[in-house]
Amino acid sequence: MFFVKGAKTTRVTQEKRIIHKSLWGNELKDKRRTETALKAGEDRAILLGLGMVLSSVMMYFVICITMVRAYADSVLTDETTCTFLNSTLTKDINCSYSCGSDCWKISKYPCLQVYVSLNATGRIGLLSHNEEMLDVSTECFYVPKCQKDHTALRVLIQNISEHLKMHQQVTCYHDSSEHQGSILLNRLYGSTSVFHSLFWPSSMLSGGTLIILMVKLTRYLSILCEQIGKVPK
């Protein structure tokens, strides 16, 4: 009887050990799977953060060499009020439009000259729509896109002239040092447009940096918890 009970006890103990090892092995496998999945997720999060940072740097580069540079180089920055004096349709200016592959034809548009007076200094000068139009022509207020129907271009310029006559006083921009005699009605690259252009890459840079820092902090806290758990009580 003693040997039978001893054999049964040994068998039960062995079965318990086998079950314990099996459960422990499954727990280790689950733990390793979880750690592998977490590590893969953290790696993807870091890659996402790095991608956001690199994209924001590229956006900064493009914006700085275009918009910010044009904003910094502009001298027509002083805002004041201009009084509209008169507008005149002067000579027709030739322009070319595309009629197909390697095909160009000549059309024309009237040059609209708008004279205004600066209320701050009393100086009289020609008004330009924006920096882009000023680069194309220093005499004409607005340079339309060339097209075949020059009559439609004339009607467009006349409508602009009539619209300007409805506003006796408008906000304009000029050079207070008078090194540049032109006057602008609108600025393409003002402080507001530069701010809005830099806002999104700044947000992307901040978000990417925050993601990387959060992943690094999570890993550090995980390692710290493991080290605390291994300390004998």
Side-chain angles (χ1 to χ4, degrees), residues 2-230:
F2 176 77
F3 291 106
V4 173
K5 288 182 179 180
K8 288 183 178 178
T9 303
T10 302
R11 191 182 304 113
V12 171
T13 302
Q14 291 177 349
E15 289 177 354
K16 288 181 177 180
R17 288 178 179 175
I18 292 171
I19 293 172
H20 178 72
K21 288 181 179 180
S22 177
L23 292 175
W24 179 250
N26 291 333
E27 289 179 359
L28 286 177
K29 290 180 180 178
D30 292 339
K31 185 178 180 180
R32 288 173 183 171
R33 291 196 192 99
T34 303
E35 290 177 352
T36 303
L38 289 174
K39 189 175 184 303
E42 290 173 351
D43 292 340
R44 284 193 289 268
I46 289 179
L47 289 176
L48 174 62
L50 289 175
M52 293 174 65
V53 171
L54 291 176
S55 298
S56 62
V57 170
M58 292 297 295
M59 292 173 67
Y60 272 127
F61 178 75
V62 173
I63 292 173
C64 286
I65 65 176
T66 54
M67 182 175 293
V68 176
R69 183 178 178 181
Y71 172 76
D73 292 342
S74 178
V75 295
L76 302 172
T77 57
D78 292 337
E79 182 177 341
T80 186
T81 304
C82 292
T83 300
F84 175 80
L85 298 178
N86 62 67
S87 62
T88 307
L89 294 178
T90 60
K91 59 182 179 180
D92 289 339
I93 298 178
N94 292 331
C95 63
S96 59
Y97 64 93
S98 176
C99 55
S101 178
D102 297 329
C103 174
W104 295 88
K105 289 188 177 181
I106 303 298
S107 184
K108 57 184 179 180
Y109 65 90
C111 178
L112 174 63
Q113 291 186 344
V114 179
Y115 286 89
V116 294
S117 173
L118 294 175
N119 290 359
T121 62
R123 179 168 63 89
I124 297 175
L126 285 171
L127 183 68
S128 295
H129 184 254
N130 52 37
E131 295 95 335
E132 184 179 359
M133 300 301 165
L134 183 60
D135 292 337
V136 177
S137 174
T138 58
E139 297 180 358
C140 304
F141 171 78
Y142 181 79
V143 179
K145 183 178 179 181
C146 193
Q147 60 184 15
K148 180 180 180 180
D149 189 359
H150 60 85
T151 304
L153 293 178
R154 177 172 289 274
V155 172
L156 173 63
I157 298 299
Q158 287 176 344
N159 290 337
I160 294 174
S161 177
E162 293 298 328
H163 179 75
L164 290 173
K165 291 178 181 179
M166 296 171 60
H167 301 81
Q168 290 298 318
Q169 291 190 343
V170 293
T171 301
C172 58
Y173 303 90
H174 69 106
D175 180 14
S176 59
S177 63
E178 297 187 2
H179 291 159
Q180 172 63 269
S182 300
I183 303 170
L184 294 181
L185 179 62
N186 298 302
R187 293 187 65 195
L188 285 177
Y189 307 118
S191 56
T192 303
S193 58
V194 171
F195 170 77
H196 287 296
S197 299
L198 294 176
F199 174 77
W200 295 112
S202 300
S203 300
M204 187 179 294
L205 178 63
S206 301
T209 305
L210 182 61
I211 290 174
I212 295 173
L213 292 177
M214 290 296 292
V215 172
K216 294 293 184 182
L217 179 62
T218 302
R219 287 183 176 178
Y220 171 75
L221 293 177
S222 177
I223 295 172
L224 187 62
C225 291
E226 289 181 1
Q227 291 177 350
I228 294 174
K230 291 179 181 178

